[in-house]
Amino acid sequence: MPGRRSLVWACGLAVACCAVVAGCGQSVAEFHLNMVAMTKNEVNEQQQQQIADILTALFGTPDEPFAPAETGLDLDKLRRCSGPVHRDAPTGSPKGLFREHCVHCHGISGDGAGPTAAFLNPYPRDYREGWYKFKSTKRPERPTTDDLMRTLHEGLPGTAMPSFKLLPQLDREALVEYVRFLSIRGEMELRLARLVHDSPKKGEPLKDDHDSLSAVLAPVVASWQDPVEIAVQDRPVDMQFDKIDDIAKQRAARRLSIAIGRQMFTHEAPGEFEYKPDDGSAPVKIQYQGAACIKCHGPTGLGDGQTTDYDDWTKYVWDPATWGRKPQDLIEPSVVMPLGALPERHIVPRNLRLGVYRGGRRPLDLYYRIHEGINGVPMPATDLMTAQDKAALKKISDAADKQFKAKFPDLVIGEDDADDVQEMKLRKKTEFIAKIVDPEMEKLQSRRLWNLIDYVMALPYEPGGELGVDADITNGGHGELVTR
């Protein structure tokens, strides 16, 4: 179209500029291709060069970053983080923030393989896949800006990721923007590699006109815009312990919740147990839904269950299945480590008795982790509804179905309806019922979720826990744990 310049021309110009700078004898920082992805997707050298040129045209270099307007990235913030560490003249504002604070762990390309990465456990995050563990969004969704800001502000306890709360707010905002930049760039690179792999015409160059590249970039950008946050359900009234004035009743309510959570934690299947109330009244039978936490975290929460699994970053590199090989065909270190992969390493479940939670120790943080699991690791989202809960939900669903038929009689699916008409009616029915059923399902599940949270939070205060039985905990809603 008129007014649109070919990205090929832009690529050539960018590469030429880099050559000029390199020719001056200066050391030029470069983004490195994801050679694991290139090798797995059978991208030849000519195609690799084309992908590198496209990425340079779209995102610039570590010293001179830029991004397409549709990404919505703030170029001023990116420039604040890019380049060598120095003070800008004459303002004195800091530059090179990423290299100053982050590159030694996360690497210049955001690949999580910086100079110190091999010495750290867990390894630093590889931003290029767009996978993030500690966030407030649905499992497949990208994190919000606030999620990334919280990680930068608080750090990740139990890892080498420190708190940067002493940095000025503007610097932290710039670093978060640069992390988003590295993820979007890395995801675009992976998509281009997959396009090569999936092309029916092997060996041919990619289409690098504006429209073709925009189509590849669009879903990457969309995934970072308005990620869906988890709909947090507050504690039921009878579980808001800090609002129960009678200390005996408060302790009894907490003890009941912890007892239910214990059963969920230590069982894989639904069941029923007998609970003896504190007031000496007759024992009661309580149903629970097994959450199977014991499989990984062990029977007492020490993290000594399944300890031979791997996180998704490691599986992406080392798992034979992702290379199109049979599982028994092991990937040799000599194959992947020259491509930039770090040594294979097991992921060990959290020892919950230490009270150190990498994603935050607020009850709200545990809510996120249990509700959706943790993206990138074996920690799954868990169905926490009991048989009674599911029976109650079915009644709600049946009532919603009747309400739909009464309100929209013309949308009832008929046998003589065409396929597209049936699909349209079914979609509208599903949307109508979901608006009624989903919130009720969240309410039913939230009680069990808070039971499980209460048990996990109690583990450091039990015999063998880090804090010990002499400490007593109170819960300030979604606030921090406090002792008294």
Side-chain angles (χ1 to χ4, degrees):
M1 292 181 64
R4 287 184 176 174
R5 294 179 295 178
S6 170
L7 282 175
V8 174
W9 179 87
C11 290
L13 177 61
V15 172
C17 291
C18 291
V20 169
V21 176
C24 295
Q26 298 179 12
S27 177
V28 179
E30 295 179 337
F31 288 126
H32 301 290
L33 282 180
N34 186 337
M35 291 308 299
V36 171
M38 297 299 149
T39 305
K40 288 169 64 174
N41 286 286
E42 301 176 314
V43 183
N44 64 39
E45 289 186 8
Q46 290 76 20
Q47 292 165 328
Q48 289 176 26
Q49 185 60 56
Q50 185 191 18
I51 289 175
D53 291 344
I54 289 171
L55 293 171
T56 301
L58 290 175
F59 299 99
T61 69
D63 287 345
E64 292 291 337
F66 51 88
E70 55 263 43
T71 64
L73 293 168
D74 187 324
L75 189 55
D76 287 337
K77 290 179 179 177
L78 298 185
R79 287 171 176 163
R80 193 177 185 88
C81 289
S82 64
V85 180
H86 67 285
R87 291 279 176 176
D88 191 30
T91 63
S93 61
K95 300 292 182 180
L97 292 173
F98 188 77
R99 275 180 234 183
E100 180 178 7
H101 300 293
C102 312
V103 78
H104 59 94
C105 290
H106 294 283
I108 201 76
S109 305
D111 56 7
T116 60
F119 305 100
L120 305 179
N121 189 6
Y123 289 137
R125 182 61 48 244
D126 180 351
Y127 300 130
R128 299 171 302 174
E129 291 280 354
W131 296 332
Y132 289 83
K133 294 166 70 174
F134 306 119
K135 53 197 184 72
S136 62
T137 58
K138 295 284 188 178
R139 188 183 183 97
E141 298 281 337
R142 301 297 179 262
T144 66
T145 299
D146 286 345
D147 289 333
L148 296 176
M149 281 293 290
R150 177 172 174 80
T151 296
L152 201 60
H153 187 273
E154 299 295 330
L156 298 178
T159 77
M161 175 66 185
S163 166
F164 287 95
K165 65 176 63 176
L166 295 181
L167 283 183
Q169 176 78 7
L170 179 59
D171 290 356
R172 280 183 277 129
E173 291 176 356
L175 285 169
V176 164
E177 193 75 347
Y178 200 78
V179 166
R180 286 160 48 88
F181 164 77
L182 291 174
S183 280
I184 292 173
R185 183 189 179 282
E187 290 177 65
M188 181 65 176
E189 179 181 358
L190 289 173
R191 283 182 173 269
L192 292 171
R194 292 185 192 117
L195 277 179
V196 170
H197 181 270
D198 296 339
S199 173
K201 298 179 180 180
K202 298 296 183 183
E204 286 197 354
L206 292 166
K207 293 181 179 179
D208 54 9
D209 59 277
H210 180 279
D211 289 346
S212 297
L213 294 180
S214 292
V216 180
L217 181 60
V220 176
V221 173
S223 70
W224 282 92
Q225 294 174 342
D226 302 320
V228 179
E229 295 191 42
I230 299 166
V232 176
Q233 296 287 327
D234 206 353
R235 287 177 174 271
V237 175
D238 61 327
M239 294 176 65
Q240 295 179 15
F241 309 127
D242 58 314
K243 296 182 180 179
I244 301 176
D245 295 330
D246 188 309
I247 298 300
K249 291 182 178 179
Q250 181 187 110
R251 289 177 177 170
R254 188 188 298 277
R255 180 173 175 268
L256 172 60
S257 181
I258 291 172
I260 297 172
R262 187 190 306 275
Q263 298 298 320
M264 296 168 64
F265 188 98
T266 55
H267 290 82
E268 298 183 34
E272 186 177 79
F273 76 107
E274 189 172 86
Y275 179 74
K276 297 180 180 179
D278 286 348
D279 60 8
S281 57
V284 293
K285 291 185 177 180
I286 299 176
Q287 285 191 356
Y288 62 85
Q289 172 66 35
C293 309
I294 188 175
K295 291 174 64 176
C296 293
H297 293 283
T300 59
L302 290 173
D304 54 355
Q306 168 59 266
T307 59
T308 58
D309 206 343
Y310 303 91
D311 63 28
D312 291 349
W313 290 270
T314 303
K315 288 176 181 176
Y316 172 75
V317 174
W318 291 86
D319 185 359
T322 66
W323 288 75
R325 303 186 185 186
K326 296 178 181 179
Q328 62 268 25
D329 297 336
L330 300 179
I331 302 299
E332 295 294 335
S334 60
V335 174
V336 294
M337 291 186 66
L339 302 176
L342 293 170
E344 188 179 30
R345 180 185 287 166
H346 290 127
I347 184 169
V348 179
R350 178 80 8 242
N351 179 351
L352 298 172
R353 287 186 173 267
L354 295 177
V356 178
Y357 313 112
R358 291 175 178 172
R361 60 181 293 149
R362 301 175 302 171
L364 176 61
D365 297 319
L366 298 183
Y367 191 108
Y368 293 145
R369 306 294 90 80
I370 297 172
H371 190 284
E372 289 296 318
I374 301 178
N375 194 24
V377 302
M379 171 73 182
T382 308
D383 177 11
L384 300 177
M385 292 200 299
T386 65
Q388 290 175 335
D389 295 333
K390 292 176 180 178
L393 190 64
K394 186 178 186 307
K395 291 182 179 179
I396 295 170
S397 180
D398 291 344
D401 184 38
K402 291 180 181 179
Q403 186 178 346
F404 176 81
K405 291 177 181 177
K407 192 170 184 178
F408 305 104
D410 295 337
L411 292 179
V412 175
I413 299 174
E415 292 183 3
D416 57 342
D417 289 333
D419 290 345
D420 58 337
V421 174
Q422 287 193 24
E423 183 179 348
M424 179 273 295
K425 290 181 177 180
L426 180 60
R427 185 178 69 254
K428 290 188 176 294
K429 177 181 178 181
T430 301
E431 291 173 353
F432 179 87
I433 292 177
K435 287 181 180 179
I436 298 173
V437 173
D438 286 356
E440 295 302 318
M441 181 176 65
E442 289 289 344
K443 290 178 183 177
L444 289 169
Q445 179 163 268
S446 71
R447 173 174 287 276
R448 308 307 172 198
L449 196 152
W450 284 114
N451 290 146
L452 195 53
I453 290 172
D454 286 338
Y455 175 65
V456 170
M457 290 173 60
L459 282 170
Y461 300 86
E462 291 194 339
E466 182 71 16
L467 300 177
V469 295
D470 292 334
D472 187 17
I473 64 172
T474 62
N475 176 12
H478 293 158
E480 303 288 347
L481 287 174
V482 294
T483 60
R484 68 174 188 183

